[in-house]
């Protein structure tokens, strides 16, 4: 399957997490990486260009830090302008039908904070409901997110592990080897992706 990463991070130069993940993604042959803040610093998103790129891919990944329980603003702008009626949704809007959509998200809050007893009260996936339903409206299958939790507390080794896991996820998607049945039952894809032995503890 052809994988497209739509990356949105307004402060990439200060990033600890996504800089690693992006490095891992860049090393995956055949994966298309599109850095939205680099391409559209003025938020002037071109729907035609984006739609043409989307049509050439089977898996659409939104990769971004969690900002106010959602994505950074340019990602919303991208959705507002690109997912047009009659193209992405509506009676004639079937351009994205059958494609997969998933999010690769980093969160300041740790895993416990995103539990019913935790500070944020809900799992990350629940906060992503607008993305999930938007994907469904566009006839795509929404896959549970891959989440890097507790970004401030992560050690260098843990960051490397997440990057390895992300690389493995990308390879699994490209090879169309993701266990969809299992993926539909879990709230985060993280645990479906086995760590490569060299880094696994
Ligand atoms: C404007 C802003 C909003 C944020 N909102 C959240 C949030 O809602 N929940 C959360 O867990 N972390 C939040 N964070 C923390 C970021 O998600 C975290 O710093 C980021 O994922 C780290 O990734 P990076 O090293 O690639 O920048 C926010 C950070 C900023 C700057």
């Amino acid at each position: 399957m052809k994988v497209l990463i739509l990356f949105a991070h307004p402060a990439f130069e200060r990033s600890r997490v996504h800089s690693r993940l992006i490095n891992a993604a860049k090393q995956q042959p055949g994966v298309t990486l599109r850095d939205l803040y680099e391409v559209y610093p003025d938020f002037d998103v071109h729907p035609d260009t984006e739609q043409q790129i989307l049509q050439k891919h089977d898996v659409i990944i939104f990769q971004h830090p969690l900002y106010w329980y959602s994505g950074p603003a340019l990602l919303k702008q991208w959705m507002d302008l690109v997912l047009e009626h009659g193209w992405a949704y509506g009676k004639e809007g079937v351009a994205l039908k059958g494609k997969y959509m998933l999010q690769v998200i980093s969160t300041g809050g740790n895993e416990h904070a995103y539990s019913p007893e935790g500070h944020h009260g809900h799992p990350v996936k629940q906060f992503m409901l607008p993305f999930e339903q938007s994907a469904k409206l566009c006839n795509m299958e929404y896959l549970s997110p891959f989440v890097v939790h507790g970004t401030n507390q992560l050690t260098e080794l843990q960051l490397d592990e997440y990057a390895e896991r992300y690389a493995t996820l990308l390879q699994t998607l490209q090879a169309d080897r993701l266990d969809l049945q299992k993926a539909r039952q879990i709230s985060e894809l993280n645990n479906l992706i086995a760590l490569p032995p060299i880094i696994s503890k």
Side-chain angles (χ1 to χ4, degrees), residues 119-137:
H119 189 57
H120 302 295
H122 308 272
V124 173
K125 190 181 176 187
Q126 272 186 21
F127 289 107
M128 296 302 113
L129 190 56
F131 289 94
E132 178 171 355
Q133 193 53 36
S134 301
K136 287 180 183 166
L137 189 74

Side-chain angles (χ1 to χ4, degrees), residues 9 15-18 65-69 106-109 114 120 151:
H9 196 320
S15 159
R16 271 184 89 216
V17 177
H18 288 276
L66 193 70
Y67 275 13
W68 289 107
Y69 307 109
S106 60
T107 70
Y114 283 96
H120 302 295
T151 55

Side-chain angles (χ1 to χ4, degrees), residues 4 17 27 89 96-97 137 143 150 198:
L4 169 66
V17 177
Q27 283 160 35
Y89 71 101
L96 300 173
K97 192 173 176 143
L137 189 74
L143 301 171
I198 194 163

Side-chain angles (χ1 to χ4, degrees), residues 61-79:
I61 297 180
F62 286 173
Q63 181 184 331
H64 60 89
L66 193 70
Y67 275 13
W68 289 107
Y69 307 109
S70 185
L74 182 54
L75 192 55
K76 181 65 165 51
Q77 170 84 338
W78 183 97
M79 291 173 79

Side-chain angles (χ1 to χ4, degrees), residues 1 3 59-62 100-105 111 123-126 128 141-149 161-162 164-174 177-195:
M1 296 209 283
V3 177
V59 183
I60 316 302
I61 297 180
F62 286 173
Y100 295 94
M101 203 266 245
L102 83 98
Q103 289 167 277
V104 172
I105 306 168
E111 217 165 336
V124 173
K125 190 181 176 187
Q126 272 186 21
M128 296 302 113
E141 172 153 6
Y142 179 84
L143 301 171
S144 293
F146 177 89
V147 184
V148 179
H149 288 281
E161 283 186 353
Y162 272 115
E164 287 283 333
R165 239 177 238 220
Y166 188 28
T168 308
L169 173 62
L170 291 171
Q171 288 157 9
T172 307
L173 289 165
Q174 283 184 299
R177 278 194 281 104
L178 191 73
D179 186 337
L180 284 174
Q181 225 175 345
K182 273 198 196 150
R184 286 179 188 122
Q185 290 160 11
I186 55 178
S187 64
E188 290 178 6
L189 282 191
N190 303 29
N191 298 330
L192 207 59
I193 305 303
L195 277 178

Side-chain angles (χ1 to χ4, degrees), residues 16-17 148-159 162:
R16 271 184 89 216
V17 177
V148 179
H149 288 281
T151 55
N152 296 329
Q153 292 126 38
L154 291 175
T155 64
E156 298 297 304
L157 181 65
Q158 286 170 320
L159 287 169
Y162 272 115

